[in-house]
């Protein structure tokens, strides 16, 4: 009796593993989506007709995507890019889990692979879009010459929650005037000004766009300011004496990129 119980449990475990590893019937169209190196990337499917079932559903036909994310991604959004879209609520699933409304972002942990399934009645063809949602970051540092402009690029934030402030050198916010905006903007323009310090560190804070949680996230980026371009002519008062056809002038530049 004990042996029979053990065999029954082992069979149930095997069936469960098989179900989890293969959530879809063999005839379901399956696509491999690799977004490694592109945490904010977009992947588009070919025009495809759904077929067979996934996750034990009936009365619908399905398509399946096996997704690998970049380590800097926090989730995805799935939508129909083109083709007939029926009325009513439509949902997609990750790993046969809870249904997520079409177009609504979902938070994911780790690079995966994550198995996404989408099912609905009908035999029409559609093009599907998978958008990777990057984690919040302030982007790369920039260098600005005096009198010139450049742009900071924050990604992965909910724009309405974003604030920018200078934190070093000087007091908090002392060099905010160098930015074209400090609230509600992801890409403020930086203007180099006379008397600027060698660099300014700016901190950008806000809530993640993926809305996996509503905790404020901050990141820091550095703006390096090159001094004003200048030139010194030696000698300062050049002369050409009688009988000479030329004289030597030496120009010594300063400021800008050395």
């Amino acid at each position: 009796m004990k042996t029979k119980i053990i065999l029954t449990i082992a069979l149930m475990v095997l069936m469960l593993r098989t179900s989890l590893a293969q959530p879809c019937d063999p005839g379901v169209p399956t696509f491999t989506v690799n977004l490694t190196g592109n945490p904010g990337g977009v992947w588009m499917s070919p025009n495809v007709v759904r077929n067979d079932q996934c996750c034990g559903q009936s009365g619908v036909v399905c398509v399946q995507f096996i997704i690998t994310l970049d380590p800097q991604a926090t989730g995805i959004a799935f939508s129909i890019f083109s083709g007939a879209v029926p009325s009513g609520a439509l949902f997609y699933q990750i790993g046969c889990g809870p249904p997520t409304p079409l177009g609504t972002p979902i938070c994911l942990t780790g690079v995966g692979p994550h198995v996404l399934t989408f099912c609905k009645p009908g035999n029409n063809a559609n093009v599907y879009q998978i958008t990777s949602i990057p984690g919040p970051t302030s982007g790369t540092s920039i260098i600005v010459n005096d009198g010139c402009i450049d742009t900071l690029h924050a990604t992965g934030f909910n724009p309405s929650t974003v604030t920018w402030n200078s934190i070093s050198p000087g007091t908090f916010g002392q060099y905010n005037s160098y930015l074209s905006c400090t609230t509600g903007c992801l890409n403020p323009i930086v203007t180099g000004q006379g008397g600027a310090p060698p660099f300014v560190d700016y901190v950008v804070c806000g809530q993640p766009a993926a809305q996996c949680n509503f905790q404020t996230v901050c990141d820091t980026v550095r703006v390096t300011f090159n001094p004003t371009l200048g030139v010194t002519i030696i000698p300062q008062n050049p002369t050409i004496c009688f009988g000479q056809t030329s004289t030597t002038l030496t120009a010594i530049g300063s400021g800008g990129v050395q």
Side-chain angles (χ1 to χ4, degrees):
M1 183 67 179
K2 182 177 180 181
T3 301
K4 184 177 180 180
I5 293 175
I6 293 175
L7 289 174
T8 302
I9 293 174
L11 181 60
M12 292 175 63
V13 170
L14 179 60
M15 292 174 63
L16 178 61
R17 288 178 176 175
T18 302
S19 174
L20 291 175
Q22 297 177 336
C24 296
D25 295 338
V28 172
T30 300
F31 299 93
T32 299
V33 182
N34 188 353
L35 291 167
T36 302
N38 200 359
V42 177
W43 181 89
M44 307 284 288
S45 79
N47 202 34
V48 59
V49 177
R50 298 173 310 285
N51 185 58
D52 271 356
Q53 283 76 47
C54 292
C55 304
Q57 300 184 64
S58 60
V60 295
V61 284
C62 304
V63 62
Q64 175 181 230
F65 306 89
I66 301 174
I67 306 167
T68 300
L69 294 175
D70 185 84
Q72 299 301 316
T74 60
I76 61 167
F78 177 76
S79 60
I80 296 177
F81 180 78
S82 66
V85 181
S87 59
L90 296 174
F91 302 91
Y92 68 97
Q93 294 174 274
I94 299 294
C96 294
T100 300
L102 201 69
T104 300
I106 186 171
C107 299
L108 299 174
T109 301
V111 298
H114 304 280
V115 179
L116 185 155
T117 54
F118 174 70
C119 305
K120 71 181 182 73
N123 60 356
N124 63 288
N126 290 105
V127 174
Y128 301 96
Q129 176 174 295
I130 296 173
T131 302
S132 178
I133 302 172
T137 177
S138 61
T140 58
S141 297
I142 61 174
I143 300 175
V144 182
N145 289 332
D146 180 33
C148 298
I149 63 173
D150 205 340
T151 305
L152 294 172
H153 298 280
T155 58
F157 290 94
N158 180 347
S160 65
T161 67
V162 168
T163 60
W164 294 84
N165 287 286
S166 67
I167 56 174
S168 178
T171 59
F172 184 81
Q174 181 173 341
Y175 297 101
N176 284 6
S177 60
Y178 290 13
L179 304 182
S180 61
C181 61
T182 56
T183 60
C185 57
L186 294 176
N187 304 300
I189 296 172
V190 185
T191 301
Q193 302 180 21
F199 69 88
V200 175
D201 288 334
Y202 288 97
V203 61
V204 56
C205 296
Q207 294 176 359
Q211 297 184 353
C212 299
N213 61 66
F214 293 97
Q215 295 180 352
T216 297
V217 176
C218 296
D219 196 17
T220 303
V221 65
R222 173 165 291 189
V223 179
T224 299
F225 292 99
N226 284 323
T228 303
L229 296 172
V231 63
T232 300
I233 304 297
I234 299 176
Q236 293 185 354
N237 299 301
T239 58
I240 298 179
C241 297
F242 180 78
Q244 290 181 311
T245 58
S246 65
T247 189
T248 301
L249 300 177
T250 303
I252 301 175
S254 63
V257 179
Q258 301 296 317

